[in-house]
Amino acid sequence: MCFKKFFQLSKVMRITIILSCLFGQAIAQTDRKTDSVSHKIEAAEQINPTTVQLIFTDNHRLTIDFYGENIFRVFEDISGGIIAQPESTPPANILFENPRKPVGQLTLNNDVIKITIASAKISVEIDKNTSLIKVIDKATNKTALETLKPVAFDDGKVTLVLKETPDEYFYGGGVQNGRFSHKGKSIAIVNENSWTDGGVASPTPFYWSTNGYGVLWYTFKPGKYDFGAKKKGEVILTHDSDYLNVFFMVNDGAADLLNDFYQLTGKPILLPKFAFYEGHLNAYNRDYWKEDSTGILFEDGKYYKESQKNNGGLKESLNGKKTITNFLPVQ
């Protein structure tokens, strides 16, 4: 459009055209960031006894570092950043002081189609044209996990897409109130400080699958884990980060996978004998419950409203020493 015709348009039309152009440029720039990342692998090299580095055709790199024969870490930063510990305020550590176990001999095979990195327990296969990853459990000779799409890097967000099988179930994510099995659902990996049904408090960027693998995303950044809710057959994992920094572990069952998680993060505290009593994740024995038609329906058929101040109602108790309100809300 020539300038003369442009200025003959109304002011509203001129503004609309300018905004449309700017919006289109913004979308194009965002798309270019994702599209500019090469997914083709040009070379692979073992840089130390536990670590293999993959070099893409655009020269950015992906690092695979083994922390044991069945645990490995994947790090990829398309801006060229080096492996670093995630930061938090106040300062905190996710990993244990010494999270590594002996790896033994790694074998690296680089053929025309794929790159294979193998330990005594697992085999990690990476397609050279797509960078898709498949991890095989050598004990069963079955695929424990595989990616369906290349890692996606958007502005301030990284996305991993893994395959979900029909008979596979998922557990974890920290304190996800009212949730146990996450199949067909999505969970937030962010502290919402919500203790009610559906809320999140004390989240953990870790989950395990009945397919024989676990994932620990090495970050303090907020995330979301979608286990087939958005699209059946896909596990979509996202975190608000500029780079990928994640641990994968392959093992048989919940106990072994949790022990792998504890290898990285440290063993949980064992409570003293006197602390093993019926408990509640919230500050129990604190609130008062008074009959109110606008409240919550309980097992006795009445409605109650909760208050942290003495409203003349019944005080919470689990041990019978005070007025007992140990019935549960109707689900």
Side-chain angles (χ1 to χ4, degrees):
M1 180 182 293
C2 67
F3 286 108
K4 183 177 180 181
K5 290 183 178 180
F6 176 78
F7 285 106
Q8 287 175 349
L9 298 174
S10 67
K11 182 178 180 181
V12 174
M13 286 296 294
R14 294 200 301 271
I15 292 174
T16 301
I17 291 171
I18 292 172
L19 289 176
S20 297
C21 292
L22 292 175
F23 183 68
Q25 289 177 355
I27 292 177
Q29 289 173 357
T30 302
D31 289 343
R32 280 198 297 272
K33 178 169 184 180
T34 301
D35 294 342
S36 65
V37 181
S38 173
H39 302 305
K40 290 189 176 183
I41 300 169
E42 189 172 72
E45 57 184 7
Q46 187 167 349
I47 59 177
N48 62 47
T50 66
T51 310
V52 173
Q53 198 168 74
L54 308 181
I55 304 167
F56 292 79
T57 53
D58 63 359
N59 208 38
H60 88 266
R61 296 168 185 243
L62 181 148
T63 302
I64 296 178
D65 186 7
F66 280 74
Y67 277 61
E69 292 181 328
N70 66 314
I71 302 174
F72 63 96
R73 177 182 179 186
V74 177
F75 182 90
E76 184 177 5
D77 186 350
I78 60 174
S79 64
I82 59 174
I83 293 179
Q85 179 175 311
E87 297 180 354
S88 69
T89 304
N93 294 320
I94 294 175
L95 297 187
F96 187 54
E97 291 178 1
N98 185 20
R100 294 181 182 269
K101 283 188 176 182
V103 174
Q105 183 68 37
L106 289 181
T107 60
L108 173 61
N109 183 36
N110 186 356
D111 62 31
V112 177
I113 300 174
K114 65 183 177 182
I115 294 166
T116 304
I117 310 162
S119 69
K121 292 186 176 180
I122 63 173
S123 179
V124 182
E125 299 178 355
I126 307 103
D127 188 295
K128 295 179 73 172
N129 287 318
T130 62
S131 73
L132 297 182
I133 298 174
K134 181 184 293 185
V135 184
I136 297 169
D137 185 345
K138 285 187 171 183
T140 61
N141 202 31
K142 293 181 179 179
T143 300
L145 70 101
E146 60 181 301
T147 57
L148 294 178
K149 298 178 182 178
V151 182
F153 295 90
D154 297 310
D155 288 328
K157 186 167 111 173
V158 179
T159 302
L160 264 177
V161 181
L162 308 181
K163 182 179 180 180
E164 177 207 17
T165 59
D167 58 348
E168 182 180 14
Y169 293 86
F170 309 92
Y171 306 91
V175 180
Q176 301 283 336
N177 291 310
R179 270 81 56 85
F180 176 60
S181 171
H182 303 316
K183 188 176 183 68
K185 303 173 184 176
S186 64
I187 60 174
I189 308 298
V190 59
N191 187 7
E192 300 172 349
N193 197 28
S194 172
W195 294 92
T196 56
D197 188 17
V200 183
S202 301
T204 303
F206 167 78
Y207 77 88
W208 66 273
S209 159
T210 55
N211 223 38
Y213 78 90
V215 173
L216 170 63
W217 204 303
Y218 190 28
T219 184
F220 290 102
K221 300 291 186 180
K224 181 180 179 181
Y225 297 170
D226 184 308
F227 301 100
K230 184 176 182 181
K231 187 174 181 181
K232 196 172 182 179
E234 291 188 0
V235 174
I236 305 171
L237 313 174
T238 62
H239 270 280
D240 297 344
S241 177
D242 295 320
Y243 56 86
L244 177 68
N245 197 4
V246 63
F247 285 93
F248 295 101
M249 53 210 75
V250 174
N251 224 321
D252 181 23
D256 290 333
L257 287 168
L258 285 173
N259 280 326
D260 292 335
F261 172 69
Y262 296 146
Q263 175 190 322
L264 297 174
T265 62
K267 293 183 178 180
I269 296 173
L270 180 63
L271 297 174
K273 185 184 270 188
F274 65 80
F276 285 91
Y277 66 95
E278 186 178 10
H280 190 279
L281 287 172
N282 204 348
Y284 220 81
N285 299 341
R286 176 195 66 184
D287 296 348
Y288 294 82
W289 295 82
K290 187 175 182 180
E291 283 193 49
D292 191 310
S293 59
T294 63
I296 300 171
L297 176 63
F298 275 72
E299 290 178 336
D300 62 353
K302 300 177 182 179
Y303 291 84
Y304 294 86
K305 183 167 283 189
E306 182 184 24
S307 174
Q308 294 182 14
K309 297 180 180 180
N310 190 345
N311 60 1
L314 302 173
K315 193 173 190 301
E316 294 174 335
S317 175
L318 286 173
N319 55 24
K321 291 183 178 179
K322 297 181 180 180
T323 304
I324 300 174
T325 59
N326 56 2
F327 44 81
L328 300 174
V330 174
Q331 300 298 320

